[in-house]
Amino acid sequence: MEFDKFCSLDSSDPFWDWNRTWSAANPDLTQCFQNTVLVWLPCLYLWMCAPIYLIYLRSHNRGYICMSNLNKAKTAIGLLLWMICWSNVFYSFWQRHHGISVPAPVHLVSPTILGLTMLLATLLIQYERLKGVQSSGVMLIFWLLALLCATVTFRSKILQGKFDLKYTTFYIYYTLLLVAFCLSCLTEQPPLFSQALKDLNPCPEPGASFLSRITFWWVTRMMIMGYKHPLEEKDLWSLNPEDCSQAVVPQIVHHWKTECQKVKRSGKTLYSPTQIPKSEGKEGQPPEESEILIVKTDRKTKEPSLLWALCLTFGPYFLISCLYKIIHDILMFVGPEILRLLINFVNNSSAPSWQGYFYTALLFICTCVQSLILQKYFHVCFITGMRLRTAVIGAVYRKALVISSAARRTSTVGEIVNLMSVDAQRFMDLITYINMIWSAPLQVVLALYFLWQNLGPSVLAGVAVMVLMVPVNAVIAMKTRTYQVAQMKSKDNRIKLMNEMLNGIKVLKLYAWELAFKDKISEIRESELQVLKKAAYLGAGSTFTWVCAPFLVALSTFGVYVLIDEHNVLDAQKAFVSLALFNILRFPLNMLPMVISSMVQASVSLKRLRVFLSHEELQEDSVEHKAVAGCDISIVDGVFSWSRNESLNVCIPEGCLVAVVGHVGSGKSSLLSALLGEMDKLEGTVNVKGSVAYVPQQAWIQNSSLKGNIIFGQEWKEAWYQRVVEACALQPDLEILPAGDKTEIGEKGVNLSGGQKQRVSLARAVYCDRAVYLLDDSLSAVDAHVGKHIFDQVIGPQGLLKDKTRVLVTHGLSYLPQVDLILVMVDGEITEMGSYQQLMSREGAFAEFLHTYANIDHTDNSGETQKWGILQMYFNSPSSPVTMILINLLDNSEVGKLTEADKASTGQVKLSVFWAYAKAIGVLLSCISLLLFLTHHLLSLFSNYWLSQWTDDPIVNGTQPSRLMRLGVYGALGLSQGVAVFGYSLFMSIGGILASRCLHESMLYDVLRSPMSFFERTPSGNLVNRFSKEMDTIDSVIPNIIKMFMGSMFGVLGACVIILIATPLVAVIIPALGVLYFFVQRFYVASSRQLKRLESVSRSPIYTHFNETLLGTSVIRAFGEQERFIHESDQRVDHNQKAYYPSIVANRWLAIRLEFVGNCIVSFAALFAVIARESLSPGIVGLSISYALQLTTSLTWLVRMSSDLETNIVAVEKLKEYSDTEKEAEWKYEHSSLPPGWPTHGCIEIRGFGLRYRPNLDLVSLHARTLNAVSYSVGIVGRTGAGKSSLTLGLFRIIEGAEGHIIIDGVDIAQLGLHELRSRITIIPQDPVLFSGSLRLNLDPFDSYTDEDVWMALEFSHLKTFVSGLPDKLSHECSEGGENFSVGQRQLLCLARALLRKTKILVLDEATAAVDMETDNLIQSTIRSQFEECTVLTIAHRLNTIMDYTRVLVLDKGEMAEFDSPSNLIAQRGAFYQMAKDAGLV
């Protein structure tokens, strides 16, 4: 052979010799093989990797590392190795030159190649240093390969025992290789200027060595810390820069925009619509109609592909995982092959025993490499999933800030929050498994190939069974998809309703409507559970098919194999190698349906996301900001989507104060929206010069400190801040608030009164110091004297804003003489325009309107809205030590805190939580499921044992005589397994549904029974999170986890039993490994559980902030603060991912350690089988090792599931939390002695009544005078904080009295059930709240009145014409929060509610704050005519509304100062006289 001559000139050294290697008792490789293959292999590896690695390093520069001792050592060793290789070459030349001997070509070629390779390695070490690589995997593998190859040669040289120069250089070479390998395991210092140096707690991953990275050793420190004490926020690492929002989100946004542009471009080339000239469009023909239609038809043909955008963003990184997956899939089949060789080895007694040990070692190495690669694969997948979630949340948030109002109305807050929480989660879940789409078929093909080798054509029977299974699974997956969509829809509706209920909880309590809404939610929930139940039946079916599939495949294959030819003998090798392959087959076959259904879910989510991200955005160019001479604000020929067809023309000069007046619903707010660019502009131009500040009609308050609300992200200017606070009359409020301007304001400003909210909103605008101010009715909610103060100090001709352009929408007529220009609006058009004098002299509609109300034009519009709040009173009550929530009176940092953040509970989940869940399922069901589980696993063990007995049957005349009996029993065992599986799957799923129904019902009831103070303390984000995320976990996650947990637990026990029966020696090892396993598991669970809790706690703030943003988009846009809010949202997401990232890597850390335990068990089972091969039958060896091979996965699953069970059962714990919070009094008492028509007279007596806002605060008392009110109309007046609210709070028992009594018609209200009380007195609250649903539902949720009654109520509340003009009349859908009605119309609907109930007692709480004078008059006259037989209590600031009441009650500091008729009180010249004088009424 030519090659032999290459190694030795006389061909005395062959390349390969079987007798010396495989068959020898002490094997050795030939010299030729050692000098060629073993030398060239590492060289080949490095030269192949180098080009790719260099390109990678060029594109990934991390900054350079200074020369360190470690680096010097590595370089020196590299150069020494290079020199040694050259010395070998020179020695060969020297030998040849001196004629000592003529060396074979190999002695020149191999050292030369090796020398060049060592030079390359040294250069790579330096290049890595320049590019900032701290530890290199490529080099480590190279040194390892070189060392392993050299070790074989080293052993050979030791055995030969010769010594000359070449031998000496080889020993030096070997030593240097060992040192180089050890050095490459160490890690370099971080690069200069790297992020890690600046960070307080950087993630150790980038700086970890390669070995530490592949074994996840760098996680160990956190695990130890988590084991010693529960992890806290400060223990978490910072996120890696490439995982942060600012790195991830811009990429996806960029790719998505590119996609949208592509579609737009292709749309434009397809159609070139003809535009209708403007003039034609004006004459009643809608403009550019053809264009609109064409774009619509085009939209159907092509949508921008979100999927492609996601692929471009995450594809490249994700492709690495595909590489890992391929390697792992190939390694999977090494196990069965080695099993085949081992059974052969046990059968062949003449084989040298080292082969057995060799197989065992090979098995161990392969399984370990397989574990490492699999975990690396998962790591890449999870990181991609995490980035994907960040990207989705970021993209949705950014979109929500620019979405147009029309599009915004198509998706509710609940739906958009679901996009962030549920749909983003769906993508994350899918990413882990998506590779199965190509990997599963690959595994199936490989498995079939090996099976064919083993059993021949009878495999086709098994394949046929599999092929039949696929359509069954496909049908199940498709059905599951339909149910999925239906369930998502119900869930969206439920969360939407829940959200609104929590926002309007106060109204629900005041009207005693909790039960109606509870029923409505339960109804939606019931339909959701019906869908879940159907899905559960399907799930049981699919579990049945996939547990039976592998068995049926095995049965049909073995059956056909034995039956087609009686000489086909089923021996151990055929049976168990096939079984091991069938077990491998089982995974892809099980996973495929799961992956398909997961893909289906993700495609639903993808579509929802695409639809949301494709929504129309606000026209960026709808408002221009260019300077126009003499005009600060101008609209020329403006036609807007909300206004009628008439075009608007407005020009407002610089520095002008403009008032916009008109009736409710005449389009005043819409005009401001047009100026802000919030409204779709169809024609014309809008120009606003300079920056804008906007004060909306309903103040938008953030959940941060009062100061934070005013500064709103601008730079801090102390003096200016003080001036603003004083001008906006906030100084007195700051003195009252517990922590001054550092007091935390609750969500939506719950702890501020309406007037305070409005003033904070105004102060924010003033502080920001803009050129143009748009004020939407910003004085409507404040006291007369406060309103006057604000007008004079801020808005008016002498105010802080006197040089700015101001547009003020107002109902307050007293300000009009002081403004420069008045716009009168009617039905979306500007009918009159001019100064006050001009309009009066024209004697048009405006003048007429003014004359009608001239008598009351002195008073300012309306009253400081008494916060229907619990907190207003004790802020102001002089006697109360003002502290918000007393956590600790002395701890100053807590003063001024209001909302309670979600807290992470610590320590182990208590058994009571598991017990609560088991009880919710039902004890009987739980026991039956357990029994069926046990049956299934016992049958499974027995059927495999039966198989091993079958394979050991003696062979008579080339056949096994009892094979038919064996086959029959084997089949029967399998079928009974299937039945057991179906049973437990069904029982578990049904149990899960029963549990989730029970838990949801009790939580809903607990939340509704909570008092108002609970809702003010608990952010709505937390509650919504409980009802969406935690409920979803209980619905769909926990039942599956329990099933898998039980499955893997019984699987592990079964495997251990079989291995012990086969090779009892393992009994020595199993306990030791069991202890190790237990420690690893406890270590892991302690940290993992805590990380899950931290992650769950940091998730709520994302949604809370998002909710808040959605409510305030117009304000954020008007102030141009989008970037700041985007940054805030990104930070919250990153904060959440900071807790999520360690939990992913902790999972990997655990899996590698557990799989190592599993791999040890496999190796020991094989080792002991090799040792005891004389006494074991092949059947038992096969059984033992094939079970051991499964053990690794079962073990990993067991820990994963046990920790998942612990972390997910936390959801039950969280739902149970609310059953322990304080509750209100009973809604209804069993034996109520209340007379049916009570109250018949409406006589209210207040006897020394006092109440406390919190247990440790002083009493707020309405002192011990007795107040009698019978069929009176009583006006209640008093300065802010005089106790007006306390009276209504006490009357409705929103806060229970601490002393004294309120008696209505002789009945002490404290003795009644809350619903009995609240349903029989009526209030028109200050904030008009509507719920989404029909108009009728909003008026009469219990359906207790006829349609005639409802229409009557609407007629009296002046809404009949409006409602009958709606297309659906009473069935008209109110949008979320009643957005599609103006505030005034909402107020009138609240009046209609009161008219419908028509109780003997009516309380008006500042009910006319948001309506104009005319509507106010209508309301007052309606109340006088409709409620003349009733007792009407009105909390008033507009004194003119109560001047004709029968009695006026003046409150001062919680005490009754005066009580008499208005005329008498004025005559007495007391406090009431003073107020009337201030208001200009006397």
Side-chain angles (χ1 to χ4, degrees), residues 84-138:
I84 280 178
C85 296
W86 283 116
S87 70
N88 276 342
V89 176
F90 290 137
Y91 180 62
S92 296
F93 276 123
W94 181 80
Q95 275 182 322
R96 190 170 188 166
H97 184 68
H98 286 266
I100 298 168
S101 68
V102 180
V106 71
H107 294 302
L108 293 171
V109 174
S110 287
T112 309
I113 294 176
L114 197 57
L116 289 170
T117 309
M118 291 303 165
L119 191 60
L120 174 67
T122 315
L123 292 173
L124 273 176
I125 289 171
Q126 281 309 311
Y127 192 60
E128 284 176 345
R129 179 182 70 82
L130 295 176
K131 291 296 180 186
V133 177
Q134 288 176 265
S135 174
S136 163
V138 174

Side-chain angles (χ1 to χ4, degrees), residues 1138-1313:
K1138 234 170 83 170
Y1140 177 68
Y1141 181 73
S1143 70
I1144 307 174
V1145 288
N1147 250 331
R1148 307 281 68 80
W1149 177 90
L1150 165 84
I1152 280 192
R1153 276 139 195 79
L1154 287 189
E1155 291 201 5
F1156 180 73
V1157 172
N1159 297 339
C1160 287
I1161 293 180
V1162 177
S1163 308
F1164 280 118
L1167 183 68
F1168 291 135
V1170 169
I1171 292 172
R1173 68 169 168 166
E1174 308 301 327
S1175 58
L1176 286 181
S1177 75
I1180 288 289
V1181 172
L1183 182 67
S1184 155
I1185 293 175
S1186 65
Y1187 258 103
L1189 282 172
Q1190 287 178 56
L1191 192 66
T1192 318
T1193 19
S1194 299
L1195 269 179
T1196 325
W1197 267 112
L1198 181 59
V1199 172
R1200 176 91 42 82
M1201 287 303 129
S1202 63
S1203 66
D1204 271 7
L1205 189 58
E1206 273 212 43
T1207 41
N1208 282 300
I1209 207 87
V1210 171
V1212 178
E1213 184 181 40
K1214 289 207 160 157
L1215 300 197
K1216 301 302 283 178
E1217 272 174 23
Y1218 291 143
S1219 58
D1220 308 330
T1221 52
E1222 49 177 335
K1223 299 284 173 277
E1224 290 186 308
E1226 286 297 324
W1227 281 340
K1228 276 200 172 61
Y1229 288 115
E1230 289 292 307
H1231 311 293
S1232 169
S1233 55
L1234 201 61
W1238 179 91
T1240 41
H1241 307 299
C1243 166
I1244 305 173
E1245 291 179 59
I1246 298 175
R1247 298 182 188 161
F1249 181 74
L1251 45 81
R1252 276 196 176 89
Y1253 283 92
R1254 289 275 154 80
N1256 45 358
L1257 296 182
D1258 284 4
L1259 216 57
V1260 177
S1261 50
L1262 297 168
H1263 273 282
R1265 303 210 195 153
T1266 301
L1267 161 70
N1268 270 311
V1270 192
S1271 301
Y1272 283 165
S1273 45
V1274 181
I1276 303 172
V1277 295
R1279 295 271 182 230
T1280 299
K1284 304 186 293 292
S1285 292
S1286 304
L1287 189 60
T1288 38
L1289 294 180
L1291 192 60
F1292 281 87
R1293 286 175 60 195
I1294 292 289
I1295 295 182
E1296 295 288 352
E1299 62 175 37
H1301 305 282
I1302 296 183
I1303 291 174
I1304 299 179
D1305 282 4
V1307 178
D1308 184 349
I1309 62 169
Q1311 308 303 318
L1312 300 176

Side-chain angles (χ1 to χ4, degrees), residues 842-1007:
R842 276 186 212 157
E843 299 204 344
F846 175 74
E848 194 180 320
F849 177 73
L850 269 184
H851 287 310
T852 326
Y853 295 102
N855 61 336
I856 49 173
D857 103 3
H858 303 296
T859 66
D860 173 27
N861 171 330
S862 115
E864 164 92 7
T865 335
Q866 262 309 318
K867 165 77 191 96
W868 232 93
I870 310 291
L871 304 165
Q872 166 70 17
M873 219 357 253
Y874 72 76
F875 275 169
N876 304 337
S877 153
S879 52
S880 69
V882 197
T883 14
M884 294 285 275
I885 293 176
L886 254 101
I887 298 163
N888 176 351
L889 263 170
L890 307 171
D891 179 0
N892 227 8
S893 65
E894 290 299 337
V895 173
K897 284 291 285 167
L898 172 75
T899 51
E900 292 175 354
D902 237 351
K903 293 200 183 55
S905 42
T906 52
Q908 267 190 328
V909 180
K910 296 184 187 63
L911 274 174
S912 59
V913 178
F914 288 98
W915 177 236
Y917 187 73
K919 270 199 308 206
I921 293 178
V923 180
L924 183 68
L925 258 180
S926 310
C927 293
I928 295 177
S929 307
L930 251 172
L931 247 168
L932 285 166
F933 250 112
L934 197 60
T935 319
H936 162 225
H937 280 278
L938 286 174
L939 287 168
S940 162
L941 285 181
F942 189 64
S943 66
N944 282 338
Y945 182 71
W946 183 260
L947 186 67
S948 86
Q949 292 301 313
W950 180 2
T951 59
D952 287 341
D953 271 354
I955 297 166
V956 184
N957 301 331
T959 68
Q960 286 170 318
S962 57
R963 59 169 201 259
L964 290 177
M965 183 270 291
R966 293 282 191 192
L967 188 63
V969 174
Y970 188 59
L973 286 170
L975 284 176
S976 38
Q977 264 185 71
V979 175
V981 169
F982 185 71
Y984 81 66
S985 183
L986 195 62
F987 281 125
M988 275 306 307
S989 306
I990 299 295
I993 286 168
L994 290 176
S996 57
R997 172 183 293 145
C998 165
L999 291 166
H1000 182 270
E1001 282 290 295
S1002 62
M1003 171 161 81
L1004 184 58
Y1005 184 69
D1006 286 334
V1007 168

Side-chain angles (χ1 to χ4, degrees), residues 205-274:
E205 185 184 16
S209 70
F210 175 73
L211 282 178
S212 169
R213 279 212 300 271
I214 59 170
T215 56
F216 291 89
W217 190 257
W218 54 273
V219 188
T220 312
R221 255 183 63 203
M222 181 177 271
M223 298 313 250
I224 294 173
M225 201 191 311
Y227 185 68
K228 286 182 182 162
H229 65 88
L231 289 172
E232 294 163 33
E233 210 136 287
K234 62 176 193 304
D235 303 325
L236 300 177
W237 308 308
S238 311
L239 269 186
N240 290 326
E242 59 272 18
D243 298 331
C244 291
S245 294
Q246 67 204 55
V248 177
V249 185
Q251 295 178 17
I252 181 87
V253 171
H254 165 71
H255 289 304
W256 170 245
K257 283 193 173 147
T258 318
E259 274 302 298
C260 294
Q261 296 304 174
K262 259 196 262 171
V263 172
K264 272 189 193 154
R265 278 202 297 275
S266 63
K268 276 179 187 162
T269 50
L270 281 168
Y271 299 96
S272 48
T274 49

